[in-house]
Short mmCIF file of all heavy atoms in Angstrom, two decimals:
data_model
loop_
_atom_site.label_atom_id
_atom_site.label_comp_id
_atom_site.label_asym_id
_atom_site.label_seq_id
_atom_site.Cartn_x
_atom_site.Cartn_y
_atom_site.Cartn_z
N ILE A 88 -19.30 15.62 -14.82
CA ILE A 88 -19.20 15.24 -16.23
C ILE A 88 -18.06 16.03 -16.90
O ILE A 88 -17.26 15.48 -17.64
CB ILE A 88 -20.54 15.46 -16.97
CG1 ILE A 88 -21.60 14.47 -16.46
CG2 ILE A 88 -20.37 15.33 -18.49
CD1 ILE A 88 -21.35 13.00 -16.82
N ASP A 89 -17.98 17.33 -16.58
CA ASP A 89 -16.89 18.12 -17.16
C ASP A 89 -15.53 17.64 -16.68
O ASP A 89 -14.58 17.58 -17.46
CB ASP A 89 -17.09 19.61 -16.83
CG ASP A 89 -18.09 20.26 -17.76
OD1 ASP A 89 -19.30 20.20 -17.45
OD2 ASP A 89 -17.70 20.78 -18.80
N GLY A 90 -15.46 17.29 -15.40
CA GLY A 90 -14.19 16.79 -14.86
C GLY A 90 -13.79 15.49 -15.55
O GLY A 90 -12.61 15.27 -15.84
N LEU A 91 -14.77 14.64 -15.83
CA LEU A 91 -14.48 13.37 -16.50
C LEU A 91 -14.03 13.60 -17.95
O LEU A 91 -13.13 12.92 -18.45
CB LEU A 91 -15.70 12.45 -16.45
CG LEU A 91 -16.09 11.98 -15.03
CD1 LEU A 91 -17.46 11.32 -15.05
CD2 LEU A 91 -15.05 11.02 -14.46
N LYS A 92 -14.67 14.58 -18.59
CA LYS A 92 -14.26 14.92 -19.97
C LYS A 92 -12.82 15.38 -19.99
O LYS A 92 -12.01 14.94 -20.81
CB LYS A 92 -15.12 16.10 -20.47
CG LYS A 92 -16.31 15.73 -21.31
CD LYS A 92 -16.74 17.02 -22.03
CE LYS A 92 -18.22 17.18 -22.01
NZ LYS A 92 -18.67 18.47 -22.52
N ALA A 93 -12.49 16.29 -19.07
CA ALA A 93 -11.11 16.81 -19.00
C ALA A 93 -10.16 15.67 -18.65
O ALA A 93 -9.04 15.61 -19.18
CB ALA A 93 -11.04 17.93 -17.95
N CYS A 94 -10.61 14.77 -17.80
CA CYS A 94 -9.77 13.63 -17.40
C CYS A 94 -9.40 12.80 -18.63
O CYS A 94 -8.24 12.44 -18.84
CB CYS A 94 -10.53 12.78 -16.37
SG CYS A 94 -9.63 11.29 -15.88
N ARG A 95 -10.38 12.50 -19.45
CA ARG A 95 -10.12 11.68 -20.65
C ARG A 95 -9.11 12.37 -21.57
O ARG A 95 -8.17 11.76 -22.05
CB ARG A 95 -11.46 11.41 -21.36
CG ARG A 95 -11.39 10.78 -22.72
CD ARG A 95 -10.44 9.58 -22.79
NE ARG A 95 -10.92 8.43 -22.04
CZ ARG A 95 -10.13 7.39 -21.68
NH1 ARG A 95 -8.84 7.39 -21.99
NH2 ARG A 95 -10.62 6.39 -21.01
N ARG A 96 -9.31 13.69 -21.76
CA ARG A 96 -8.40 14.40 -22.68
C ARG A 96 -6.98 14.45 -22.12
O ARG A 96 -6.02 14.23 -22.85
CB ARG A 96 -8.91 15.83 -22.91
CG ARG A 96 -10.19 15.83 -23.75
CD ARG A 96 -10.70 17.25 -23.89
NE ARG A 96 -12.07 17.25 -24.38
CZ ARG A 96 -12.93 18.25 -24.21
NH1 ARG A 96 -12.56 19.33 -23.57
NH2 ARG A 96 -14.14 18.18 -24.70
N LEU A 97 -6.86 14.74 -20.84
CA LEU A 97 -5.52 14.83 -20.24
C LEU A 97 -4.86 13.46 -20.20
O LEU A 97 -3.67 13.31 -20.53
CB LEU A 97 -5.61 15.43 -18.83
CG LEU A 97 -6.01 16.92 -18.78
CD1 LEU A 97 -6.39 17.34 -17.38
CD2 LEU A 97 -4.85 17.80 -19.29
N THR A 98 -5.64 12.43 -19.84
CA THR A 98 -5.09 11.07 -19.78
C THR A 98 -4.59 10.64 -21.15
O THR A 98 -3.51 10.07 -21.27
CB THR A 98 -6.18 10.09 -19.29
OG1 THR A 98 -6.55 10.46 -17.97
CG2 THR A 98 -5.68 8.65 -19.26
N ASP A 99 -5.39 10.93 -22.19
CA ASP A 99 -4.99 10.55 -23.55
C ASP A 99 -3.68 11.22 -23.97
O ASP A 99 -2.97 10.70 -24.83
CB ASP A 99 -6.10 10.88 -24.56
CG ASP A 99 -7.27 9.91 -24.45
OD1 ASP A 99 -7.11 8.87 -23.76
OD2 ASP A 99 -8.34 10.17 -25.04
N ASP A 100 -3.39 12.37 -23.34
CA ASP A 100 -2.14 13.06 -23.66
C ASP A 100 -1.02 12.72 -22.68
O ASP A 100 -0.01 13.42 -22.62
CB ASP A 100 -2.36 14.58 -23.68
CG ASP A 100 -3.04 14.99 -24.98
OD1 ASP A 100 -3.17 14.15 -25.88
OD2 ASP A 100 -3.44 16.17 -25.07
N GLY A 101 -1.25 11.69 -21.86
CA GLY A 101 -0.18 11.22 -20.98
C GLY A 101 -0.03 11.99 -19.68
O GLY A 101 0.97 11.84 -18.98
N VAL A 102 -1.04 12.84 -19.33
CA VAL A 102 -0.98 13.57 -18.07
C VAL A 102 -1.62 12.70 -16.98
O VAL A 102 -2.69 12.12 -17.20
CB VAL A 102 -1.74 14.92 -18.19
CG1 VAL A 102 -1.80 15.64 -16.85
CG2 VAL A 102 -1.11 15.80 -19.26
N MET A 103 -0.97 12.59 -15.81
CA MET A 103 -1.56 11.82 -14.71
C MET A 103 -2.74 12.59 -14.12
O MET A 103 -2.68 13.82 -13.98
CB MET A 103 -0.52 11.56 -13.61
CG MET A 103 0.54 10.55 -13.98
SD MET A 103 1.52 10.07 -12.54
CE MET A 103 2.50 11.55 -12.26
N THR A 104 -3.78 11.84 -13.75
CA THR A 104 -5.00 12.49 -13.24
C THR A 104 -5.49 11.81 -11.95
O THR A 104 -5.29 10.61 -11.75
CB THR A 104 -6.13 12.40 -14.29
OG1 THR A 104 -6.22 11.04 -14.75
CG2 THR A 104 -5.89 13.31 -15.47
N ASN A 105 -6.15 12.64 -11.13
CA ASN A 105 -6.75 12.15 -9.89
C ASN A 105 -8.16 12.71 -9.85
O ASN A 105 -8.34 13.92 -9.72
CB ASN A 105 -5.91 12.66 -8.70
CG ASN A 105 -6.52 12.32 -7.35
OD1 ASN A 105 -7.59 11.72 -7.28
ND2 ASN A 105 -5.86 12.73 -6.29
N VAL A 106 -9.16 11.84 -10.01
CA VAL A 106 -10.54 12.31 -9.98
C VAL A 106 -11.02 12.28 -8.53
O VAL A 106 -11.06 11.23 -7.89
CB VAL A 106 -11.44 11.48 -10.92
CG1 VAL A 106 -12.88 11.95 -10.82
CG2 VAL A 106 -10.96 11.63 -12.36
N THR A 107 -11.34 13.48 -8.05
CA THR A 107 -11.57 13.66 -6.62
C THR A 107 -13.05 13.91 -6.29
O THR A 107 -13.88 14.04 -7.19
CB THR A 107 -10.69 14.82 -6.11
OG1 THR A 107 -10.76 14.87 -4.68
CG2 THR A 107 -11.12 16.17 -6.67
N LEU A 108 -13.34 13.96 -5.00
CA LEU A 108 -14.71 14.16 -4.51
C LEU A 108 -15.62 13.03 -5.00
O LEU A 108 -16.73 13.27 -5.47
CB LEU A 108 -15.25 15.54 -4.94
CG LEU A 108 -14.57 16.73 -4.26
CD1 LEU A 108 -14.95 18.04 -4.93
CD2 LEU A 108 -14.93 16.80 -2.77
N CYS A 109 -15.12 11.79 -4.87
CA CYS A 109 -15.90 10.61 -5.25
C CYS A 109 -16.64 10.07 -4.03
O CYS A 109 -16.01 9.79 -3.00
CB CYS A 109 -14.94 9.54 -5.82
SG CYS A 109 -15.76 7.96 -6.10
N PHE A 110 -17.95 9.96 -4.16
CA PHE A 110 -18.76 9.51 -3.03
C PHE A 110 -19.65 8.31 -3.36
O PHE A 110 -20.47 7.91 -2.55
CB PHE A 110 -19.63 10.68 -2.51
CG PHE A 110 -18.80 11.77 -1.89
CD1 PHE A 110 -18.43 12.89 -2.63
CD2 PHE A 110 -18.35 11.67 -0.58
CE1 PHE A 110 -17.64 13.88 -2.07
CE2 PHE A 110 -17.56 12.66 -0.01
CZ PHE A 110 -17.21 13.77 -0.76
N SER A 111 -19.51 7.74 -4.57
CA SER A 111 -20.32 6.56 -4.88
C SER A 111 -19.55 5.62 -5.81
O SER A 111 -18.62 6.04 -6.52
CB SER A 111 -21.65 6.96 -5.55
OG SER A 111 -21.44 7.27 -6.93
N ALA A 112 -19.96 4.36 -5.80
CA ALA A 112 -19.30 3.35 -6.65
C ALA A 112 -19.52 3.68 -8.13
O ALA A 112 -18.62 3.48 -8.95
CB ALA A 112 -19.86 1.97 -6.31
N ASN A 113 -20.70 4.19 -8.47
CA ASN A 113 -20.95 4.54 -9.87
C ASN A 113 -20.03 5.67 -10.33
O ASN A 113 -19.54 5.66 -11.47
CB ASN A 113 -22.41 4.96 -10.07
CG ASN A 113 -23.32 3.75 -10.15
OD1 ASN A 113 -22.89 2.66 -10.51
ND2 ASN A 113 -24.59 3.94 -9.78
N GLN A 114 -19.79 6.63 -9.45
CA GLN A 114 -18.86 7.71 -9.81
C GLN A 114 -17.47 7.14 -10.05
O GLN A 114 -16.78 7.52 -11.00
CB GLN A 114 -18.80 8.75 -8.68
CG GLN A 114 -20.03 9.64 -8.56
CD GLN A 114 -19.84 10.67 -7.45
OE1 GLN A 114 -19.37 10.35 -6.36
NE2 GLN A 114 -20.21 11.91 -7.73
N ALA A 115 -17.07 6.18 -9.20
CA ALA A 115 -15.74 5.57 -9.35
C ALA A 115 -15.65 4.77 -10.66
O ALA A 115 -14.60 4.74 -11.31
CB ALA A 115 -15.45 4.67 -8.16
N LEU A 116 -16.76 4.15 -11.03
CA LEU A 116 -16.81 3.40 -12.29
C LEU A 116 -16.55 4.36 -13.47
O LEU A 116 -15.77 4.06 -14.39
CB LEU A 116 -18.18 2.73 -12.40
CG LEU A 116 -18.53 1.86 -13.59
CD1 LEU A 116 -17.50 0.76 -13.79
CD2 LEU A 116 -19.91 1.23 -13.37
N LEU A 117 -17.18 5.53 -13.41
CA LEU A 117 -16.98 6.52 -14.47
C LEU A 117 -15.55 7.04 -14.50
O LEU A 117 -14.98 7.24 -15.57
CB LEU A 117 -17.96 7.69 -14.31
CG LEU A 117 -19.44 7.35 -14.51
CD1 LEU A 117 -20.31 8.59 -14.30
CD2 LEU A 117 -19.68 6.78 -15.91
N ALA A 118 -14.97 7.24 -13.33
CA ALA A 118 -13.58 7.74 -13.28
C ALA A 118 -12.65 6.74 -13.95
O ALA A 118 -11.75 7.13 -14.70
CB ALA A 118 -13.16 7.96 -11.82
N ALA A 119 -12.90 5.45 -13.72
CA ALA A 119 -12.05 4.42 -14.34
C ALA A 119 -12.26 4.43 -15.86
O ALA A 119 -11.30 4.32 -16.63
CB ALA A 119 -12.38 3.05 -13.76
N LYS A 120 -13.51 4.57 -16.27
CA LYS A 120 -13.79 4.60 -17.72
C LYS A 120 -13.17 5.84 -18.39
O LYS A 120 -12.84 5.80 -19.57
CB LYS A 120 -15.30 4.54 -17.98
CG LYS A 120 -15.87 3.17 -17.71
CD LYS A 120 -17.33 3.05 -18.13
CE LYS A 120 -17.55 3.05 -19.61
NZ LYS A 120 -17.04 1.83 -20.27
N ALA A 121 -13.03 6.92 -17.60
CA ALA A 121 -12.39 8.13 -18.15
C ALA A 121 -10.87 8.01 -18.14
O ALA A 121 -10.17 8.94 -18.52
CB ALA A 121 -12.84 9.36 -17.35
N GLY A 122 -10.37 6.89 -17.65
CA GLY A 122 -8.92 6.64 -17.69
C GLY A 122 -8.13 7.27 -16.57
O GLY A 122 -6.90 7.43 -16.69
N ALA A 123 -8.82 7.65 -15.47
CA ALA A 123 -8.10 8.31 -14.37
C ALA A 123 -6.95 7.45 -13.84
O ALA A 123 -7.07 6.23 -13.75
CB ALA A 123 -9.08 8.59 -13.22
N THR A 124 -5.86 8.11 -13.50
CA THR A 124 -4.74 7.40 -12.86
C THR A 124 -5.16 7.00 -11.45
O THR A 124 -4.90 5.87 -11.01
CB THR A 124 -3.50 8.33 -12.77
OG1 THR A 124 -3.33 9.01 -14.01
CG2 THR A 124 -2.25 7.54 -12.43
N PHE A 125 -5.81 7.93 -10.74
CA PHE A 125 -6.29 7.68 -9.38
C PHE A 125 -7.75 8.13 -9.28
O PHE A 125 -8.16 9.07 -9.95
CB PHE A 125 -5.51 8.52 -8.35
CG PHE A 125 -4.03 8.25 -8.31
CD1 PHE A 125 -3.15 9.10 -8.98
CD2 PHE A 125 -3.50 7.18 -7.61
CE1 PHE A 125 -1.77 8.88 -8.95
CE2 PHE A 125 -2.12 6.95 -7.57
CZ PHE A 125 -1.27 7.80 -8.25
N VAL A 126 -8.50 7.46 -8.39
CA VAL A 126 -9.82 7.97 -7.99
C VAL A 126 -9.75 8.17 -6.48
O VAL A 126 -9.16 7.35 -5.78
CB VAL A 126 -10.97 7.01 -8.38
CG1 VAL A 126 -10.91 5.69 -7.62
CG2 VAL A 126 -12.32 7.68 -8.16
N SER A 127 -10.33 9.29 -6.02
CA SER A 127 -10.26 9.59 -4.59
C SER A 127 -11.63 9.51 -3.92
O SER A 127 -12.37 10.51 -3.90
CB SER A 127 -9.68 11.00 -4.37
OG SER A 127 -8.32 11.04 -4.69
N PRO A 128 -11.99 8.35 -3.36
CA PRO A 128 -13.22 8.27 -2.57
C PRO A 128 -12.96 8.86 -1.18
O PRO A 128 -11.94 8.54 -0.56
CB PRO A 128 -13.50 6.76 -2.48
CG PRO A 128 -12.28 6.07 -2.99
CD PRO A 128 -11.31 7.07 -3.51
N PHE A 129 -13.88 9.71 -0.71
CA PHE A 129 -13.70 10.43 0.56
C PHE A 129 -14.41 9.67 1.68
O PHE A 129 -15.62 9.80 1.87
CB PHE A 129 -14.29 11.84 0.44
CG PHE A 129 -13.38 12.85 -0.20
CD1 PHE A 129 -12.54 12.52 -1.26
CD2 PHE A 129 -13.37 14.17 0.25
CE1 PHE A 129 -11.71 13.47 -1.85
CE2 PHE A 129 -12.55 15.13 -0.33
CZ PHE A 129 -11.71 14.79 -1.37
N ILE A 130 -13.66 8.96 2.47
CA ILE A 130 -14.25 8.14 3.54
C ILE A 130 -14.83 9.00 4.68
O ILE A 130 -15.98 8.84 5.07
CB ILE A 130 -13.17 7.23 4.16
CG1 ILE A 130 -12.55 6.31 3.12
CG2 ILE A 130 -13.73 6.41 5.31
CD1 ILE A 130 -11.38 5.53 3.67
N GLY A 131 -14.00 9.89 5.20
CA GLY A 131 -14.40 10.66 6.39
C GLY A 131 -15.65 11.49 6.17
O GLY A 131 -16.51 11.57 7.05
N ARG A 132 -15.73 12.09 4.98
CA ARG A 132 -16.91 12.95 4.74
C ARG A 132 -18.18 12.13 4.63
O ARG A 132 -19.28 12.63 4.92
CB ARG A 132 -16.69 13.82 3.49
CG ARG A 132 -15.59 14.83 3.70
CD ARG A 132 -15.53 15.87 2.62
NE ARG A 132 -14.26 16.59 2.69
CZ ARG A 132 -13.95 17.66 2.00
NH1 ARG A 132 -14.84 18.17 1.15
NH2 ARG A 132 -12.79 18.24 2.11
N LEU A 133 -18.06 10.85 4.20
CA LEU A 133 -19.24 9.97 4.20
C LEU A 133 -19.59 9.61 5.64
O LEU A 133 -20.76 9.66 6.05
CB LEU A 133 -18.99 8.71 3.38
CG LEU A 133 -19.13 8.88 1.86
CD1 LEU A 133 -18.66 7.64 1.13
CD2 LEU A 133 -20.59 9.18 1.47
N ASP A 134 -18.56 9.25 6.42
CA ASP A 134 -18.80 8.94 7.84
C ASP A 134 -19.50 10.12 8.54
O ASP A 134 -20.38 9.91 9.37
CB ASP A 134 -17.47 8.65 8.56
CG ASP A 134 -16.88 7.29 8.19
OD1 ASP A 134 -17.55 6.52 7.46
OD2 ASP A 134 -15.75 7.00 8.63
N ASP A 135 -19.10 11.34 8.16
CA ASP A 135 -19.69 12.54 8.78
C ASP A 135 -21.21 12.60 8.59
O ASP A 135 -21.91 13.19 9.41
CB ASP A 135 -19.09 13.83 8.17
CG ASP A 135 -17.65 14.05 8.57
OD1 ASP A 135 -17.19 13.40 9.53
OD2 ASP A 135 -16.97 14.88 7.91
N ILE A 136 -21.70 12.01 7.47
CA ILE A 136 -23.16 12.04 7.26
C ILE A 136 -23.76 10.65 7.52
O ILE A 136 -24.80 10.28 6.96
CB ILE A 136 -23.54 12.58 5.85
CG1 ILE A 136 -22.91 11.76 4.73
CG2 ILE A 136 -23.18 14.05 5.72
CD1 ILE A 136 -23.59 11.98 3.38
N HIS A 137 -23.05 9.87 8.36
CA HIS A 137 -23.54 8.57 8.84
C HIS A 137 -23.69 7.53 7.74
O HIS A 137 -24.60 6.69 7.78
CB HIS A 137 -24.85 8.74 9.63
CG HIS A 137 -24.75 9.82 10.66
ND1 HIS A 137 -23.98 9.70 11.79
CD2 HIS A 137 -25.26 11.08 10.68
CE1 HIS A 137 -24.03 10.83 12.47
NE2 HIS A 137 -24.80 11.69 11.82
N ILE A 138 -22.79 7.61 6.74
CA ILE A 138 -22.71 6.56 5.71
C ILE A 138 -21.32 5.96 5.86
O ILE A 138 -20.33 6.70 5.96
CB ILE A 138 -22.92 7.14 4.30
CG1 ILE A 138 -24.35 7.68 4.15
CG2 ILE A 138 -22.64 6.09 3.22
CD1 ILE A 138 -24.61 8.44 2.87
N ASP A 139 -21.23 4.64 5.90
CA ASP A 139 -19.94 3.99 6.13
C ASP A 139 -19.03 4.13 4.89
O ASP A 139 -19.24 3.47 3.88
CB ASP A 139 -20.18 2.50 6.46
CG ASP A 139 -18.91 1.81 6.91
OD1 ASP A 139 -17.80 2.36 6.69
OD2 ASP A 139 -19.02 0.71 7.48
N GLY A 140 -18.04 5.01 5.02
CA GLY A 140 -17.13 5.27 3.90
C GLY A 140 -16.33 4.04 3.48
O GLY A 140 -15.94 3.91 2.32
N LEU A 141 -16.09 3.14 4.43
CA LEU A 141 -15.29 1.96 4.10
C LEU A 141 -16.04 1.00 3.17
O LEU A 141 -15.42 0.28 2.38
CB LEU A 141 -14.86 1.24 5.39
CG LEU A 141 -13.84 2.05 6.21
CD1 LEU A 141 -13.72 1.51 7.61
CD2 LEU A 141 -12.49 2.08 5.50
N ILE A 142 -17.37 1.02 3.25
CA ILE A 142 -18.16 0.18 2.33
C ILE A 142 -17.92 0.65 0.90
O ILE A 142 -17.82 -0.15 -0.03
CB ILE A 142 -19.66 0.19 2.71
CG1 ILE A 142 -19.83 -0.56 4.04
CG2 ILE A 142 -20.53 -0.42 1.61
CD1 ILE A 142 -21.23 -0.56 4.59
N LEU A 143 -17.80 1.97 0.73
CA LEU A 143 -17.53 2.49 -0.62
C LEU A 143 -16.18 1.98 -1.14
O LEU A 143 -16.08 1.58 -2.31
CB LEU A 143 -17.54 4.03 -0.59
CG LEU A 143 -17.13 4.72 -1.89
CD1 LEU A 143 -18.06 4.33 -3.04
CD2 LEU A 143 -17.12 6.25 -1.72
N ILE A 144 -15.17 1.96 -0.29
CA ILE A 144 -13.85 1.46 -0.72
C ILE A 144 -13.98 -0.01 -1.16
O ILE A 144 -13.45 -0.41 -2.20
CB ILE A 144 -12.81 1.59 0.42
CG1 ILE A 144 -12.70 3.03 0.92
CG2 ILE A 144 -11.43 1.07 -0.05
CD1 ILE A 144 -12.17 4.03 -0.07
N GLN A 145 -14.71 -0.77 -0.37
CA GLN A 145 -14.91 -2.19 -0.68
C GLN A 145 -15.63 -2.36 -2.03
O GLN A 145 -15.24 -3.18 -2.87
CB GLN A 145 -15.74 -2.85 0.44
CG GLN A 145 -16.04 -4.32 0.23
CD GLN A 145 -14.78 -5.16 0.31
OE1 GLN A 145 -14.24 -5.36 1.39
NE2 GLN A 145 -14.29 -5.63 -0.83
N GLU A 146 -16.67 -1.55 -2.25
CA GLU A 146 -17.43 -1.66 -3.51
C GLU A 146 -16.55 -1.31 -4.72
O GLU A 146 -16.59 -1.99 -5.75
CB GLU A 146 -18.65 -0.71 -3.48
CG GLU A 146 -19.75 -1.18 -2.56
CD GLU A 146 -20.92 -0.21 -2.49
OE1 GLU A 146 -20.84 0.90 -3.06
OE2 GLU A 146 -21.93 -0.55 -1.85
N ILE A 147 -15.77 -0.26 -4.57
CA ILE A 147 -14.92 0.15 -5.70
C ILE A 147 -13.87 -0.93 -5.97
O ILE A 147 -13.59 -1.27 -7.13
CB ILE A 147 -14.23 1.51 -5.43
CG1 ILE A 147 -15.27 2.60 -5.20
CG2 ILE A 147 -13.33 1.90 -6.59
CD1 ILE A 147 -14.70 3.94 -4.73
N ARG A 148 -13.31 -1.51 -4.88
CA ARG A 148 -12.30 -2.57 -5.07
C ARG A 148 -12.90 -3.72 -5.88
O ARG A 148 -12.29 -4.25 -6.80
CB ARG A 148 -11.81 -3.04 -3.69
CG ARG A 148 -10.75 -4.11 -3.65
CD ARG A 148 -9.36 -3.62 -4.07
NE ARG A 148 -9.21 -3.46 -5.51
CZ ARG A 148 -8.33 -2.66 -6.10
NH1 ARG A 148 -7.50 -1.92 -5.40
NH2 ARG A 148 -8.27 -2.56 -7.41
N THR A 149 -14.12 -4.11 -5.52
CA THR A 149 -14.79 -5.23 -6.21
C THR A 149 -15.02 -4.89 -7.68
O THR A 149 -14.71 -5.69 -8.58
CB THR A 149 -16.14 -5.55 -5.52
OG1 THR A 149 -15.87 -5.88 -4.17
CG2 THR A 149 -16.87 -6.70 -6.19
N ILE A 150 -15.55 -3.70 -7.94
CA ILE A 150 -15.85 -3.30 -9.33
C ILE A 150 -14.57 -3.22 -10.16
O ILE A 150 -14.51 -3.74 -11.28
CB ILE A 150 -16.61 -1.95 -9.35
CG1 ILE A 150 -18.02 -2.15 -8.78
CG2 ILE A 150 -16.68 -1.38 -10.77
CD1 ILE A 150 -18.76 -0.86 -8.49
N TYR A 151 -13.54 -2.60 -9.60
CA TYR A 151 -12.29 -2.46 -10.36
C TYR A 151 -11.67 -3.85 -10.62
O TYR A 151 -11.13 -4.09 -11.70
CB TYR A 151 -11.30 -1.56 -9.62
CG TYR A 151 -11.59 -0.07 -9.77
CD1 TYR A 151 -12.80 0.41 -10.27
CD2 TYR A 151 -10.64 0.89 -9.41
CE1 TYR A 151 -13.06 1.76 -10.39
CE2 TYR A 151 -10.89 2.25 -9.54
CZ TYR A 151 -12.11 2.68 -10.02
OH TYR A 151 -12.36 4.03 -10.16
N ASN A 152 -11.78 -4.74 -9.65
CA ASN A 152 -11.26 -6.11 -9.87
C ASN A 152 -12.07 -6.83 -10.93
O ASN A 152 -11.53 -7.54 -11.78
CB ASN A 152 -11.29 -6.93 -8.58
CG ASN A 152 -10.23 -6.46 -7.59
OD1 ASN A 152 -9.39 -5.63 -7.91
ND2 ASN A 152 -10.28 -6.98 -6.37
N ASN A 153 -13.41 -6.65 -10.89
CA ASN A 153 -14.29 -7.33 -11.86
C ASN A 153 -13.89 -7.04 -13.30
O ASN A 153 -14.02 -7.89 -14.17
CB ASN A 153 -15.75 -6.86 -11.69
CG ASN A 153 -16.40 -7.46 -10.46
OD1 ASN A 153 -15.85 -8.36 -9.85
ND2 ASN A 153 -17.57 -6.94 -10.09
N TYR A 154 -13.47 -5.80 -13.54
CA TYR A 154 -13.19 -5.38 -14.92
C TYR A 154 -11.71 -5.09 -15.17
O TYR A 154 -11.36 -4.55 -16.22
CB TYR A 154 -14.04 -4.15 -15.26
CG TYR A 154 -15.51 -4.50 -15.18
CD1 TYR A 154 -16.25 -4.20 -14.05
CD2 TYR A 154 -16.14 -5.20 -16.21
CE1 TYR A 154 -17.58 -4.57 -13.94
CE2 TYR A 154 -17.47 -5.58 -16.12
CZ TYR A 154 -18.19 -5.26 -14.98
OH TYR A 154 -19.49 -5.64 -14.88
N ALA A 155 -10.89 -5.44 -14.20
CA ALA A 155 -9.44 -5.21 -14.31
C ALA A 155 -9.11 -3.75 -14.67
O ALA A 155 -8.22 -3.48 -15.48
CB ALA A 155 -8.81 -6.18 -15.31
N PHE A 156 -9.86 -2.81 -14.07
CA PHE A 156 -9.54 -1.40 -14.28
C PHE A 156 -8.19 -1.10 -13.65
O PHE A 156 -7.88 -1.62 -12.57
CB PHE A 156 -10.60 -0.49 -13.65
CG PHE A 156 -11.86 -0.38 -14.45
CD1 PHE A 156 -13.09 -0.65 -13.86
CD2 PHE A 156 -11.84 0.02 -15.78
CE1 PHE A 156 -14.27 -0.52 -14.58
CE2 PHE A 156 -13.03 0.15 -16.51
CZ PHE A 156 -14.24 -0.13 -15.91
N ARG A 157 -7.40 -0.25 -14.30
CA ARG A 157 -6.07 0.05 -13.77
C ARG A 157 -6.04 1.29 -12.89
O ARG A 157 -5.02 1.61 -12.28
CB ARG A 157 -5.07 0.16 -14.92
CG ARG A 157 -4.74 -1.25 -15.45
CD ARG A 157 -4.06 -1.26 -16.79
NE ARG A 157 -2.99 -0.26 -16.89
CZ ARG A 157 -2.52 0.18 -18.05
NH1 ARG A 157 -3.03 -0.27 -19.18
NH2 ARG A 157 -1.56 1.08 -18.09
N THR A 158 -7.15 2.02 -12.85
CA THR A 158 -7.22 3.20 -11.97
C THR A 158 -6.94 2.78 -10.53
O THR A 158 -7.50 1.79 -10.06
CB THR A 158 -8.63 3.83 -12.07
OG1 THR A 158 -8.83 4.25 -13.43
CG2 THR A 158 -8.80 5.02 -11.14
N GLU A 159 -6.07 3.55 -9.85
CA GLU A 159 -5.74 3.18 -8.47
C GLU A 159 -6.72 3.83 -7.49
O GLU A 159 -7.10 5.00 -7.66
CB GLU A 159 -4.31 3.63 -8.14
CG GLU A 159 -3.28 2.87 -8.94
CD GLU A 159 -1.85 3.12 -8.45
OE1 GLU A 159 -1.63 3.19 -7.24
OE2 GLU A 159 -0.98 3.24 -9.32
#
Side-chain angles (χ1 to χ4, degrees):
I88 291 292
D89 279 87
L91 294 168
K92 263 197 223 172
C94 176
R95 171 47 68 197
R96 290 177 194 158
L97 291 167
T98 297
D99 286 348
D100 282 351
V102 175
M103 288 191 288
T104 49
N105 174 359
V106 177
T107 189
L108 291 168
C109 172
F110 293 96
S111 79
N113 282 334
Q114 287 182 316
L116 182 54
L117 293 179
K120 287 187 71 68
T124 315
F125 300 99
V126 66
S127 290
F129 277 37
I130 301 173
R132 293 192 195 189
L133 280 171
D134 287 354
D135 289 345
I136 58 163
H137 311 290
I138 294 173
D139 188 344
L141 291 165
I142 291 176
L143 174 59
I144 304 295
Q145 179 67 73
E146 287 178 353
I147 301 172
R148 181 73 283 156
T149 301
I150 291 168
Y151 281 14
N152 288 352
N153 285 349
Y154 298 97
F156 282 127
R157 285 165 44 200
T158 298
E159 293 190 40

